Amino acid sequence: MTTAPVLPEPKLLQLFDVLYHCRSVTRAAEQMGQSQPTISIWLGRLREQLNDPLFVRTPGGMAPTPRADQLIGPCREVLESLRRLAAWEPQFQPATAQRRFRLCVSDASHITLLPSILNHVRSHAPGIRLEAVRIDGNSESALGSGEADLAIGFVPWLGGGMYQQVLFDQDWVCLSARGHPRLAGGLSMACYHAEGHVQISAGTGQKLLETALARAGIERRIVLELPAFLGLGMILGSTDLIATLPRHIGQTLADMHDLQVHDCPFAVEGFTVKQHWHARYHQDGGNRWLRAVVHGLFARDGSAGSRKGSSRAGA
């Protein structure tokens, strides 16, 4: 009679997931709120139960073994099942639900989208907690594992297995202080060349702007570079600098700080803002509710969700 394999405890599976992600025992201890000796003991138990070293020390950190690469997917599925089991309710009821939703969003969305989403959630689902994280190279895996629920923005690199739903299209505008001393007649190409600029390094659409500038042979006189949009409105309103940015964040900042919106004097490729979610959570009640909230607040047409690389499907 063979002995059934023993499934590692949830805390050991969580350690496996965290260590696979951060590749450091020290950082894993910090993230899990445990001492480093405790993490080392847990890792020893995990290695014994799974009969593999799982991670080996290298100059670049704790590198996973081939066996660890094979097991990380099933491990994350088990963790997600446990999380969903603990949070399970027969039917998602926003008014009584107690749940956290994590949104992958751009820096601009902190100003343009999050306030409206938060106000709606507070009014209709007071037990819901929202968490905003930056869109980055980990967003796709976070959506697949359930670590994140939605990605909202211009995220063209997301791969298969994702659903997407169009929210609105974006073109580009320029902002300046209202009453700018040299732009009373509008922003011409000559003025654009002559004025000082604020450059924003954040935003997934910035490469489109850089490509357009290079194509038009425009070299801006950058006076200030900012990592995000925080403070941009106050800076433009109190100086004679200008900035080039997507229309949604541009119009929002203009309304907040009484700025002047100018048509961009050269062509910049536009883009479409969408919400994205993984196929695994397409039928999840809470995810469906959140998608409907976002679509209801921001969609400018009646588009339905479609799976990337496949036919259209209802959201």
Side-chain angles (χ1 to χ4, degrees), residues 104-106 109 113 117 135 150-154 167 273-275 294:
C104 300
V105 294
S106 65
S109 296
L113 304 184
I117 297 173
I135 292 175
L150 286 180
I152 307 173
F154 176 53
L167 297 178
V273 173
K274 303 175 183 179
Q275 61 175 337
V294 172

Side-chain angles (χ1 to χ4, degrees), residues 48-306:
E48 182 179 352
Q49 292 180 21
L50 296 180
N51 195 30
D52 190 85
L54 298 176
F55 300 94
V56 295
R57 295 188 182 278
T58 70
M62 298 291 284
T65 65
R67 179 64 171 158
D69 288 333
Q70 294 173 353
L71 292 175
I72 188 60
C75 170
R76 287 173 171 167
E77 290 178 4
V78 170
L79 287 173
E80 175 59 18
S81 296
L82 291 173
R83 185 190 72 81
R84 292 172 60 81
L85 181 63
W88 182 84
E89 51 186 316
Q91 185 177 0
F92 185 81
Q93 300 290 344
T96 58
Q98 300 288 324
R99 181 167 168 178
R100 182 197 70 177
F101 288 108
R102 180 176 287 174
L103 308 178
C104 300
V105 294
S106 65
D107 291 302
S109 296
H110 292 185
I111 301 171
T112 58
L113 304 184
L114 276 181
S116 296
I117 297 173
L118 179 61
N119 285 334
H120 183 97
V121 168
R122 293 190 68 191
S123 297
H124 297 86
I128 296 298
R129 170 186 167 188
L130 295 179
E131 181 178 353
V133 297
R134 179 172 294 184
I135 292 175
D136 58 23
N138 296 319
S139 297
E140 184 170 351
S141 62
L143 290 169
S145 68
E147 183 181 351
D149 297 279
L150 286 180
I152 307 173
F154 176 53
V155 201
W157 63 82
L158 287 181
M162 297 288 174
Y163 280 85
Q164 58 186 17
Q165 188 175 43
V166 170
L167 297 178
F168 53 88
D169 294 323
Q170 287 268 54
D171 60 352
W172 293 77
V173 297
C174 297
L175 291 189
S176 73
R178 192 171 294 279
H180 190 290
R182 293 176 296 279
L183 301 183
L187 181 62
S188 65
M189 182 67 83
C191 289
Y192 192 89
H193 274 282
E195 296 299 325
H197 292 256
V198 180
Q199 175 173 289
I200 306 298
S201 57
T204 53
Q206 288 301 310
K207 288 185 178 180
L208 298 176
L209 174 60
E210 293 170 5
T211 298
L213 289 166
R215 183 172 56 242
I218 300 172
E219 186 172 347
R220 295 179 295 175
R221 181 167 61 88
I222 303 298
V223 176
L224 174 66
E225 183 171 352
L226 295 175
F229 294 94
L230 181 64
L232 177 61
M234 291 291 293
I235 290 168
L236 293 178
S238 59
T239 68
D240 62 352
L241 301 176
I242 63 176
T244 309
L245 61 172
R247 181 176 295 275
H248 198 190
I249 179 64
Q251 189 63 59
T252 301
L253 290 175
D255 293 342
M256 293 172 63
H257 299 281
D258 192 29
L259 303 174
Q260 182 67 45
V261 179
H262 304 272
D263 290 334
C264 193
F266 59 97
V268 184
E269 182 182 352
F271 59 93
T272 301
V273 173
K274 303 175 183 179
Q275 61 175 337
H276 307 258
W277 63 97
H278 198 274
R280 292 177 59 200
Y281 304 99
H282 186 59
Q283 298 299 335
D284 176 80
N287 197 290
R288 289 172 63 91
W289 172 80
L290 183 60
R291 284 158 16 211
V293 168
V294 172
H295 188 265
L297 289 172
F298 305 112
R300 296 180 183 167
D301 58 38
S303 60
S306 64

